[in-house]
Amino acid sequence: MNKSKLLRDLLHRPGPVLVTGAHDAMSAKLIEEAGFDGIWASGFGISAAQRCLPDANYMTMTENLEIAKNMNEVVHIPVIADCDNGYGNALNVMRTVAQYEKAGIAGISIEDNIFPKKCSFYPGFKRELVSLEEMEGRIRAGKSAQGGSDFVLIARTEALIAGWGMEEALKRGRAFARAGADAVLIHSKSRAPDEVIQFAKSWDQNIPLVVVPTIFDSISADELHEAGFKVIIFANQLIRSCIRSMREMLGELRQKKYAGAVNDHLVTLEEVYKLVGVDEMKQAEDTFLPVSGNDVKAIIVNAGFEKHLMPLIEDRPKGMLDIKGKTILERQIEVLNACDIKDISVVRGYRSEAIRVPNLRYYENPDYEESYILSSFFCASPQIQDRVLFLYGDILFDRVVLEKLLQSSADISLVVDLAWYDAHRQGAIPEGLERELVMMEEPPQATYRYLPSEENHRILKIGQNLDRRSAHGEFIGMAMFSPTASQVFIQEYERLKKEDPGGPFHEAPSLKKASLTDMIQELVDRGFPVKGVDIYKGWMEVDTFEDYQRAWAQSK
Ligand code: SPV
Ligand code: MG
């Protein structure tokens, strides 16, 4: 975006151009937010706020440029930089123009003060201006140094400030216009606006006038515009209001000595987050950084005894079955670790002593024969807080499956394999095979070529007894809960336990014998949104001897 062009467009637009002085990036952003047309990178404000120094050319051109750049980076409106006297003679002005233009600053103002200058309002200092010829040279040099045609050079005369009179002020203004200035700034320290109004009345050049109503502060921008001014700069009101509000808050804090005492003076933390773009940062992180599960607690259930796998699991639970030199549990941990999930708990039950993998946290379900998956997960209830990954102990899965789940921002996300849908329609899944199936709000498309959507699908029903014709996919035994959902999960489970009449719970004969899916159906029924993260293959369950053989054959 060419900000100089933007500024030129503003100069040609009807009505006054309202510009306000900033002293850093945040003040510039606030000026834009308030609806002003442009930013004045104020020499007075920058030297006060950035160095706590007088406005007297103590800061170098590069120091000032750096601050103006900071402002320009965070706003879309044009920045006009106050470049004092151009930091020297015509040669210095040339470099100043070139550098500011290159940095994308829309325009600069240079004044006819000598170098070093003093702020126009400091009392008790002798005011000296450079000769008209010297100033004409600065303007011509500046215009010759710009690369494009849009950069705006404002020439400012301090003739009225220095007491050189209206005639000299007009003579200088006209000469500046003839030397190539794009606008003229007439400055005044008179309490009444009469001087600048008189100047504007006599103005007979074809370039716009700029005014800074600091001392003559009772005239409005509209009145100044009517008098002939195009650009009105409120140069230092913002830095002065900052000093006042900082002082007031600090005085009260020092006196009362507790943070909450000054809340009335403060914006919320959220307002600061919004201002600096924390939401945008999160979005970029989600889009571009590799997903990380370092804030996730994983709970793996490995408690059950499954008779049909005997004698394979005679001396160990299913998760400790070896597949080419690594157990299922070790393979799961490998993938979890690869996604930065290091906080892993395992719920043991059957042949508990056979699970002795280091660096894991262990919980026991001694009642594993009389209970089921949901009870087992709750044996690790101290871990059900923050972001939690619930994982069945008998699945092998590709890293991308877990990565996709970690990317989900839903409160409750379940990994759903859509390959089941196709396999079922092709008659490839024998009747009677127990599968935890899901029905979703937006079913997958029944077409040969199908791109799983980036959108998560809301789950309506989940369980083994779902009518297969209405099921859309299979829950693979991997679910992730947000901190809020983890809390809800615990609360609901405690409530159910307390109110448990002992009868069936969804598909289970009792709450104690419930699967995770029964609890999820309960949350769905209670109106809690549960989303399916869809995948297409990329995982495997070890449920039967045949599964185990297949896992051997396919694993690396
Ligand atoms: C500045 O903001 O630095 C100015 C305007 O030059 S004034 O301080 O009003 O002179
Ligand atoms: Mg200044």
Side-chain angles (χ1 to χ4, degrees), residues 40-45 55 82-84 109 111 113 117-120 156 158 187 235:
W40 170 250
S42 161
F44 179 91
D55 178 13
D82 173 8
C83 285
D84 296 332
S109 162
E111 64 208 22
N113 270 316
K117 55 93 51 103
K118 302 249 170 14
C119 164
S120 314
R156 159 172 164 178
E158 298 273 299
H187 209 17

Side-chain angles (χ1 to χ4, degrees), residues 88-94 110 130-145 153 175-176 179:
N89 67 16
L91 308 182
N92 301 86
V93 172
M94 289 175 81
I110 57 166
V130 296
S131 70
L132 179 53
E133 293 69 31
E134 161 73 22
M135 186 62 185
E136 285 172 324
R138 286 183 190 174
I139 296 165
R140 282 202 310 276
K143 288 311 287 179
S144 78
L153 181 69
F176 296 173

Side-chain angles (χ1 to χ4, degrees), residues 242-263 265-266:
C242 289
I243 295 169
R244 180 167 172 175
S245 70
M246 286 195 270
R247 275 216 174 112
E248 285 174 0
M249 192 287 287
L250 288 167
E252 205 166 326
L253 187 59
R254 179 68 188 81
Q255 196 199 352
K256 299 195 172 148
K257 297 185 200 145
Y258 76 96
V262 293
N263 280 350
H265 293 270
L266 310 181

Side-chain angles (χ1 to χ4, degrees), residues 92-164:
N92 301 86
V93 172
M94 289 175 81
R95 181 151 189 270
T96 301
V97 166
Q99 295 279 304
Y100 274 76
E101 186 190 26
K102 225 180 259 171
I105 307 297
I108 65 169
S109 162
I110 57 166
E111 64 208 22
D112 51 6
N113 270 316
I114 56 156
F115 182 94
K117 55 93 51 103
K118 302 249 170 14
C119 164
S120 314
F121 311 131
Y122 292 160
F125 291 99
K126 185 165 169 260
R127 307 238 146 245
E128 287 176 76
L129 305 185
V130 296
S131 70
L132 179 53
E133 293 69 31
E134 161 73 22
M135 186 62 185
E136 285 172 324
R138 286 183 190 174
I139 296 165
R140 282 202 310 276
K143 288 311 287 179
S144 78
Q146 71 184 55
S149 55
D150 293 322
F151 190 73
V152 174
L153 181 69
I154 301 172
R156 159 172 164 178
T157 180
E158 298 273 299
L160 297 177
I161 301 268
W164 289 20

Side-chain angles (χ1 to χ4, degrees), residues 453-511:
S453 80
E454 285 298 310
E455 288 296 302
N456 294 330
H457 307 289
R458 191 168 175 149
I459 288 173
L460 304 178
K461 279 195 164 40
I462 182 163
Q464 293 188 2
N465 302 342
L466 225 67
D467 176 0
R468 289 187 166 201
R469 282 164 307 184
S470 61
H472 302 126
E474 179 178 4
F475 172 51
I476 75 161
M478 188 191 274
M480 200 175 61
F481 281 52
S482 72
T484 316
S486 295
Q487 227 177 348
V488 171
F489 203 28
I490 290 272
Q491 279 163 5
E492 284 297 296
Y493 186 68
E494 297 296 350
R495 181 187 62 77
L496 287 165
K497 252 190 359 193
K498 217 187 297 163
E499 297 168 3
D500 185 17
F505 178 65
H506 296 280
E507 293 182 349
S510 67
L511 182 63

Side-chain angles (χ1 to χ4, degrees), residues 352-369:
S352 169
E353 73 288 350
I355 309 182
R356 283 187 309 265
V357 181
N359 299 324
L360 302 182
R361 199 179 277 119
Y362 291 105
Y363 292 90
E364 309 296 329
N365 180 5
D367 198 18
Y368 65 89
E369 272 173 309

Side-chain angles (χ1 to χ4, degrees), residues 35 81 133 156 163 190 234 250 292 350 414 440 459 476 513 527:
E133 293 69 31
R156 159 172 164 178
S190 164
F234 300 110
L250 288 167
S292 162
Y350 169 68
L414 310 187
M440 297 189 283
I459 288 173
I476 75 161
K513 296 206 160 167

Side-chain angles (χ1 to χ4, degrees), residues 7 10-11 16-22 31 35-41 77-80 154 210-213 221 230-237:
L7 178 56
L10 285 172
L11 294 177
V17 177
L18 300 186
V19 174
T20 290
I31 291 166
F36 287 95
D37 300 310
I39 307 291
W40 170 250
I77 55 178
V79 173
I80 302 169
I154 301 172
V210 183
V211 68
V212 184
K230 182 67 191 172
V231 182
I232 291 91
I233 301 176
F234 300 110
N236 49 37
Q237 286 69 23

